[in-house]
């Protein structure tokens, strides 16, 4: 598909180039050949002016048919035709090289134009295939469970288990569709920022999170930090990181800490640190890729879809920053962003 688009775009650029060459060469040829014509007409006029009367060599006998003016006129015309041919040959040669070089450039520019579109298309296709896979898995589980229950004339108890398990899968699906929707909205939303106290927002969000999840979070929050941003998105960002910190916490008491500190006068750093399973150096670069989950087969932490950090990193991007990760396998993970203070 992209090969044919590449050929079409190259041909389009080539036709543009050809049109430019023709529209420059034709007038160039007409103007130059007009000059050549005028030059040779001048030569002929001068000849006629200066060579009035019989042109002859008094000391030599000339044949009666000998007409030196006719010979000179013929010479001038021959020169004029030669000049025009030379001009035409030159223009053809120049155009040939311009078109040959231009074709290579046309191909190069067409490729440059199409490569980002191709990558976007590939990413879109990958995204769709991953999303369908994520949607299919819980649906298949639900279908299989219901089929078995129906076939075996299951007891009330068994049916209750099936319904419970189906409810969990439905929750997973709802979660997935929420995250997919959030990603799409993030990509297409108008981002109107406002000035707000990040310190207050973070403090309030942590309190709510503690209540909802019955967990204690350590804090080190500078109360003076205000930024220009989108408060709802910052809350989403914090919730994603806190959820992850809770999920990827090996079998030990969780120690989760949120810090908000000023860096100089104009910047503030927001960090979420946990004492969980950690992330290997190899995986750190991949965890922001959509649907990527570390070592899915061997670890059973969490029930996510690998979209949380993609969302978080989009939110960071909207705020003109990027997420930094510091982690040691089996020891800790810390996600930080540096924001511009107002
Ligand atoms: P998920 O829905 O799987 O949590 P995320 O995009 O939030 O998706 O995270 C991607 C992967 O990064 C996770 O599957 C997990 O392996 C790893 N990860 C994220 N946060 C942490 C953390 N705090 N500690 C260890 N691993 C983490």
């Amino acid at each position: 598909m992209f090969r044919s688009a590449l050929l079409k775009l190259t041909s389009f650029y080539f036709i543009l180039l050809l049109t430019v060459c023709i529209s420059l060469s034709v007038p160039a040829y007409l103007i130059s050949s007009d000059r050549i014509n005028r030059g040779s007409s001048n030569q002929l006029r001068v000849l006629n002016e200066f060579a009035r009367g019989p042109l002859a060599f008094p000391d030599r006998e000339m044949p009666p048919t000998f007409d030196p003016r006719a010979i000179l006129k013929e010479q001038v015309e021959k020169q004029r035709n030669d000049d025009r041919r030379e001009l035409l040959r030159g223009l053809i040669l120049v155009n040939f090289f311009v078109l040959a070089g231009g074709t290579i450039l046309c191909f190069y520019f067409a490729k440059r134009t199409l490569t980002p579109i191709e990558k976007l298309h590939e990413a879109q296709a990958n995204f769709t295939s991953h999303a369908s896979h994520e949607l299919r898995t819980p649906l298949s589980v639900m279908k299989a469970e219901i089929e078995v229950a129906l076939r075996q004339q299951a007891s009330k108890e068994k049916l209750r288990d099936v319904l419970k398990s189906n409810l969990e899968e439905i929750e997973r699906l709802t979660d997935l569709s929420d995250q997919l929707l959030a990603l799409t909205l993030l990509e297409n939303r108008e981002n109107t920022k406002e000035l707000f106290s990040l310190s207050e927002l973070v403090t309030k969000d942590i309190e709510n999170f503690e209540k909802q999840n019955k967990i204690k979070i350590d804090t080190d929050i500078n109360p003076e930090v205000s930024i220009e941003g989108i408060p709802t998105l910052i809350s989403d960002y914090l919730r994603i990181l806190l959820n992850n910190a809770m999920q990827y916490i090996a079998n030990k008491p969780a120690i989760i800490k949120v810090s908000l500190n000023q860096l100089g006068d104009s910047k503030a750093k927001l960090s979420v640190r946990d004492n969980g399973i950690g992330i290997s150096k190899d995986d750190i670069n991949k965890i922001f890729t959509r649907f990527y989950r570390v070592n899915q087969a061997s670890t059973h932490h969490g029930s996510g879809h690998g979209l949380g950090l993609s969302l978080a990193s989009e939110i960071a991007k909207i705020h003109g920053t990027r997420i930094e990760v510091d982690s040691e396998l089996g020891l800790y993970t810390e996600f930080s962003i540096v924001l511009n203070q107002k």
Side-chain angles (χ1 to χ4, degrees), residues 244-258:
N244 279 355
M246 240 175 63
Q247 273 191 66
Y248 301 106
I249 201 86
N251 300 321
K252 54 185 171 183
I255 304 174
I256 301 172
K257 181 168 181 180
V258 177

Side-chain angles (χ1 to χ4, degrees), residues 19-262:
T19 314
V20 171
C21 284
I22 292 174
S23 49
L24 288 178
S25 303
V26 171
Y29 177 75
L30 291 177
I31 291 168
S32 307
S33 66
D34 183 52
R35 286 235 170 104
I36 293 170
N37 281 347
R38 262 191 274 161
S40 57
S41 304
N42 279 346
Q43 272 179 318
L44 282 174
R45 210 184 48 232
V46 170
L47 250 175
N48 283 336
E49 288 279 313
F50 285 97
R52 268 184 216 185
L55 264 180
F57 300 93
D59 51 337
R60 284 167 69 178
E61 188 128 331
M62 294 295 161
T65 53
F66 178 71
D67 181 357
R69 264 193 298 264
I71 293 171
L72 284 169
K73 191 177 169 207
E74 198 180 300
Q75 285 278 321
V76 169
E77 275 171 3
K78 187 173 170 297
Q79 183 62 43
R80 180 178 63 192
N81 289 339
D82 284 352
D83 286 351
R84 281 216 297 243
R85 249 197 308 278
E86 199 59 37
L87 171 69
L88 195 63
R89 203 176 301 137
L91 276 175
I92 289 173
L93 210 67
V94 167
N95 275 306
F96 172 78
F97 283 116
V98 169
L99 286 175
T103 309
I104 297 169
L105 279 180
C106 287
F107 182 78
Y108 170 75
F109 283 118
K111 209 168 159 54
R112 260 186 77 144
T113 312
L114 287 176
T115 303
I117 302 173
E118 186 178 8
K119 282 199 178 137
L120 207 70
H121 184 265
E122 249 175 51
Q124 195 70 42
N126 263 340
F127 183 75
T128 313
S129 116
H130 272 116
S132 348
H133 176 76
E134 290 287 325
L135 285 169
R136 265 190 82 85
T137 315
L139 287 174
S140 308
V141 172
M142 282 158 65
K143 185 167 176 266
E145 284 177 349
I146 294 171
E147 277 172 357
V148 171
L150 284 176
R151 223 181 296 132
Q152 293 175 345
Q153 296 279 322
S155 63
K156 257 190 180 171
E157 202 55 36
K158 177 77 187 151
L159 283 177
R160 188 180 289 275
D161 286 348
V162 169
L163 284 177
K164 230 173 103 188
S165 155
N166 278 4
L167 196 62
E168 274 169 22
E169 295 302 338
I170 288 169
E171 271 163 12
R172 261 178 70 78
L173 279 174
T174 313
D175 192 39
L176 173 65
S177 70
D178 284 351
Q179 284 189 320
L180 289 173
L181 191 66
L183 262 179
T184 316
L185 288 178
L186 266 188
E187 279 168 1
N188 300 310
R189 66 178 277 157
E190 281 281 317
N191 295 310
T192 335
K193 295 186 180 151
E194 59 183 272
L195 185 64
F196 66 95
S197 161
L198 183 60
S199 315
E200 279 176 25
L201 182 97
V202 170
T203 312
K204 211 167 87 212
D205 285 346
I206 291 174
E207 278 169 19
N208 290 340
F209 193 86
E210 284 179 325
K211 267 188 224 145
Q212 277 165 14
N213 296 281
K214 297 183 181 52
I215 186 174
K216 176 83 194 96
I217 293 170
D218 295 340
T219 52
D220 172 17
I221 313 270
N222 181 319
E224 303 285 305
V225 178
S226 292
I227 63 159
E228 201 167 70
I230 304 157
T232 49
L233 292 188
I234 296 286
S235 295
D236 289 345
Y237 170 86
L238 199 59
R239 191 177 32 78
I240 292 168
L241 294 192
L242 289 175
N243 271 328
N244 279 355
M246 240 175 63
Q247 273 191 66
Y248 301 106
I249 201 86
N251 300 321
K252 54 185 171 183
I255 304 174
I256 301 172
K257 181 168 181 180
V258 177
S259 322
L260 179 61
N261 297 311
Q262 280 181 331

Side-chain angles (χ1 to χ4, degrees), residues 287-300:
I287 52 175
F288 297 99
T289 311
R290 288 175 187 184
F291 296 105
Y292 186 81
R293 305 200 69 218
V294 176
N295 215 357
Q296 313 203 28
S298 60
T299 58
H300 300 285

Side-chain angles (χ1 to χ4, degrees), residues 274-333:
D274 63 63
N275 63 334
I277 58 174
I279 307 168
S280 72
K281 296 273 172 284
D282 275 356
D283 282 318
I284 281 184
N285 296 324
K286 302 180 194 153
I287 52 175
F288 297 99
T289 311
R290 288 175 187 184
F291 296 105
Y292 186 81
R293 305 200 69 218
V294 176
N295 215 357
Q296 313 203 28
S298 60
T299 58
H300 300 285
H301 298 275
S303 54
H305 304 278
L307 288 175
L309 288 180
S310 313
L311 271 166
S313 109
E314 285 296 325
I315 295 172
K317 221 188 284 172
I318 288 171
H319 287 83
T321 184
R322 57 192 287 270
I323 305 176
E324 303 285 342
V325 193
D326 178 22
S327 184
E328 195 72 55
L329 257 187
L331 289 179
Y332 70 92
T333 303

